């Protein structure tokens, strides 16, 4: 059975392994540091993380934060939040873990009085994450980035 918990130090290697399946070294290191900071009581932009665990093994990771200034204009309500990361172990794709994480983070966002959620997803995920977000009820709001395929991101949003 999958449960969603706050990350602990003993989850960090497994979380790192999941991130490495999906993103580059710089992003992996950045998010491992942010998750580690939260474990140690230090956060920025109200950034928080949760991990999906099954049989003591991390199978997914999700984050929530205040909107970063560069996407604030995509927000249409008074208190938008942002899904920071949402990654599922590739061995667990298609097994409902991602849907469980989205449902959890939407519920958590409502508890924290966010009125909508935005999520940025890089162009390289157009064949994976973009369809998933659409299926979960998120609408494309526009693109941000430098124009390069690896740097361009689609912004999706959903009212809560």
């Amino acid at each position: 059975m999958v449960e969603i918990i706050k990350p602990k130090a003993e989850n960090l290697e497994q979380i790192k392994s999941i991130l490495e399946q999906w993103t580059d070294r710089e992003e992996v290191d950045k998010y491992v540091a942010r998750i580690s900071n939260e474990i140690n009581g230090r956060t920025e932009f109200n950034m928080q993380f949760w991990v999906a665990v099954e049989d003591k093994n991390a199978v997914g990771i999700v984050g929530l934060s205040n909107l970063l200034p560069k996407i604030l204009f995509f927000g249409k309500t008074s208190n938008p939040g942002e899904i920071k990361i949402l990654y599922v172990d590739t061995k667990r794709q298609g097994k409902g873990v991602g849907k469980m994480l989205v449902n959890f983070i939407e519920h958590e966002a409502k508890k924290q009085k966010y009125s909508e959620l935005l999520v940025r997803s890089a162009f390289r995920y157009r064949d994976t994450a973009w369809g998933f977000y659409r299926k979960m009820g998120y609408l494309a709001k526009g693109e941000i980035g430098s124009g390069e395929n690896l740097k361009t991101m689609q912004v999706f949003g959903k009212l809560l």
Side-chain angles (χ1 to χ4, degrees):
M1 184 175 99
V2 176
E3 64 177 329
I4 299 174
I5 63 170
K6 293 302 288 178
K8 300 175 180 140
E10 59 263 24
N11 302 127
L12 285 175
E13 279 305 311
Q14 293 174 338
I15 291 168
K16 182 178 178 182
S17 174
I18 293 168
L19 294 172
E20 287 172 338
Q21 295 170 21
W22 291 102
T23 193
D24 57 56
R25 182 83 173 160
E26 184 179 319
E27 286 291 301
V28 170
D29 292 344
K30 177 172 73 176
Y31 278 101
V32 168
R34 286 177 173 170
I35 294 164
S36 184
N37 283 342
E38 184 192 0
I39 291 168
N40 293 307
R42 296 184 311 273
T43 60
E44 58 183 355
F45 300 107
N46 193 31
M47 204 173 297
Q48 308 158 67
F49 298 93
W50 290 267
V51 61
V53 177
E54 184 175 47
D55 298 323
K56 298 184 180 178
N57 294 310
V59 295
I61 182 77
V62 67
L64 175 67
S65 79
N66 296 339
L67 280 188
L68 294 180
K70 66 181 172 184
I71 65 165
L72 197 55
F73 66 92
F74 286 108
K76 301 300 179 207
T77 63
S78 61
N79 194 27
E82 182 178 2
I83 296 175
K84 288 310 295 177
I85 56 173
L86 174 61
Y87 292 112
V88 174
D89 187 314
T90 55
K91 294 185 234 54
R92 295 304 313 260
Q93 267 189 290
K95 307 264 194 275
V97 176
K99 183 177 181 179
M100 178 187 277
L101 286 167
V102 168
N103 290 334
F104 174 87
I105 211 66
E106 288 175 357
H107 179 75
E108 186 63 34
K110 287 178 192 175
K111 277 181 19 185
Q112 294 186 32
K113 308 289 190 233
Y114 288 112
S115 47
E116 71 181 301
L117 282 176
L118 298 179
V119 60
R120 293 174 288 145
S121 185
F123 188 79
R124 64 181 169 216
Y125 302 122
R126 69 189 176 282
D127 296 327
T128 53
W130 292 16
F132 171 77
Y133 287 121
R134 286 185 183 106
K135 191 167 94 175
M136 296 301 297
Y138 287 75
L139 303 175
K141 301 287 185 180
E143 293 181 0
I144 60 168
S146 65
E148 300 169 38
N149 283 350
L150 292 177
K151 304 274 186 199
T152 300
M153 294 191 176
Q154 177 68 53
V155 178
F156 293 91
K158 182 178 182 179
L159 297 178
L160 297 177

